[in-house]
Amino acid sequence: MSDLNPKVSVITASYNYADLISQTIESVINQTYTNWELIVIDDGSTDNSREIIQKYCDKNNKIQMITHKDCVNKGLCETVKLGCKIAQGEYIAFLESDDIWDEKYLEKKIEVIEKYPDIPFIFSNVELFGDKETQKRLDEYLKFQKLFLKNQTYPTNLFNYFLFINLIPTFSCVMVKKNLLSNLDFNAPFPPHLDWFLWMQIAYDNELYYLDLPLTKWRIHQKSFIGRTQKIKKNNNKIIFSTIKALISKSNQHFLIKKFLINYYSAIMILLKMNKSSIKKILRMIIRLG
């Protein structure tokens, strides 16, 4: 166990997962690292989620439930922002309300902080479970993601690669210093991929650390975003274009930064016109060069 003892605020956005939220909360309660608070923000659930969450709050003063005014549904962006605003910890760890942590999730990440105290962003490997057919749609992406990440030396800056692909499959495997989140733009051009937009901004001028341990059980099911979305590959083009355009327009840095981003935008346009075999060759080159 690490000698460090920073407080970690666990933020869980909850919406209509009454059948799953207990497992999520229990996985936080069972952590071997104990200096945490759990903030569950209910985003206007219409099932009995709030009643279930409140029972945990009544039993454990480290758990609190927050709702939007009048318990309305405001979406993921406003829900995550509210959680970050309330959080008291030095670090924030995200856990989606249908996912589960390994009992040593926080302990292992605190050990990284002990070794690399200046690293503000740590993410880890995931283990998929749930709907088998939906998992198959993720196979190619996860194989590339894991192969690529294993071939890096950490800590490292991954901004260049985030312009092409989201290397972090779920909020539930990320722990980040709270002060990094305070100045971010949460208005993602493509709202369902808020996480990618946030990680791009953080990765721009920060080194990241990847733990090759499956510390998060990522539940794949028909109600989840991945399970409900049948056009992920088509949407990716829109996500890439709109996100990079947004980054270009928001850049107030030296003109070379804008030039750098514009060059990447042009490169992506070229890549999208290539056939799959050509793109795979380029991706293999990126892995080797990385």
Side-chain angles (χ1 to χ4, degrees), residues 153-197:
T153 301
Y154 300 98
T156 190
N157 186 291
L158 295 170
F159 176 71
N160 292 7
Y161 306 107
F162 271 102
L163 289 173
F164 286 96
I165 187 171
N166 184 4
L167 293 166
I168 303 175
T170 172
F171 263 114
S172 298
C173 65
V174 169
M175 191 167 92
V176 59
K177 264 200 169 182
K178 181 185 176 181
N179 62 3
L180 276 189
L181 297 166
S182 59
N183 296 320
L184 297 186
D185 179 2
F186 280 74
N187 298 310
F190 193 76
H193 286 257
L194 169 66
D195 54 345
W196 190 0
F197 189 59

Side-chain angles (χ1 to χ4, degrees), residues 64-158:
Q64 62 174 313
M65 179 175 64
I66 306 295
T67 64
H68 299 296
K69 186 178 180 180
D70 298 325
C71 295
V72 298
N73 175 269
K74 288 198 172 185
L76 183 61
C77 174
E78 291 302 318
T79 301
V80 172
K81 280 173 67 176
L82 179 59
C84 292
K85 182 179 179 181
I86 293 170
Q88 298 295 309
E90 182 181 353
Y91 290 86
I92 287 178
F94 298 98
L95 178 58
E96 298 188 43
S97 57
D98 52 348
D99 293 337
I100 301 171
W101 277 349
D102 180 273
E103 64 179 10
K104 292 190 176 182
Y105 179 94
L106 292 176
E107 177 183 336
K108 292 297 181 183
K109 295 201 171 179
I110 295 299
E111 287 176 357
V112 174
I113 294 169
E114 184 177 52
K115 189 174 181 180
Y116 301 102
D118 295 329
I119 294 302
F121 189 105
I122 306 164
F123 65 109
S124 47
N125 200 349
V126 301
E127 175 187 340
L128 273 63
F129 73 113
D131 185 74
K132 299 298 183 183
E133 289 302 313
T134 309
Q135 286 183 46
K136 288 179 182 178
R137 302 213 314 269
L138 295 168
D139 281 348
E140 187 175 342
Y141 159 67
L142 289 174
K143 284 177 183 177
F144 165 75
Q145 179 244 11
K146 290 177 181 179
L147 177 61
F148 172 80
L149 291 173
K150 282 184 178 182
N151 278 274
Q152 309 305 306
T153 301
Y154 300 98
T156 190
N157 186 291
L158 295 170

Side-chain angles (χ1 to χ4, degrees), residues 144 277 279-289:
F144 165 75
S277 62
I279 293 174
K280 286 180 179 179
K281 287 180 182 177
I282 291 175
L283 290 177
R284 283 195 291 269
M285 288 174 61
I286 290 173
I287 292 171
R288 289 197 296 271
L289 291 172

Side-chain angles (χ1 to χ4, degrees), residues 17-62:
Y17 281 154
D19 55 335
L20 303 175
I21 189 67
S22 290
Q23 295 177 51
T24 301
I25 294 174
E26 292 285 351
S27 76
V28 178
I29 293 172
N30 293 332
Q31 289 298 298
T32 55
Y33 183 80
T34 57
N35 191 14
W36 53 263
E37 65 171 354
L38 172 59
I39 304 170
V40 184
I41 307 97
D42 185 82
D43 188 24
S45 292
T46 55
D47 60 8
N48 65 327
S49 294
R50 287 195 293 276
E51 289 83 354
I52 294 170
I53 298 164
Q54 188 58 52
K55 288 180 181 178
Y56 282 99
C57 296
D58 294 341
K59 294 178 183 177
N60 192 325
N61 61 11
K62 293 165 67 174

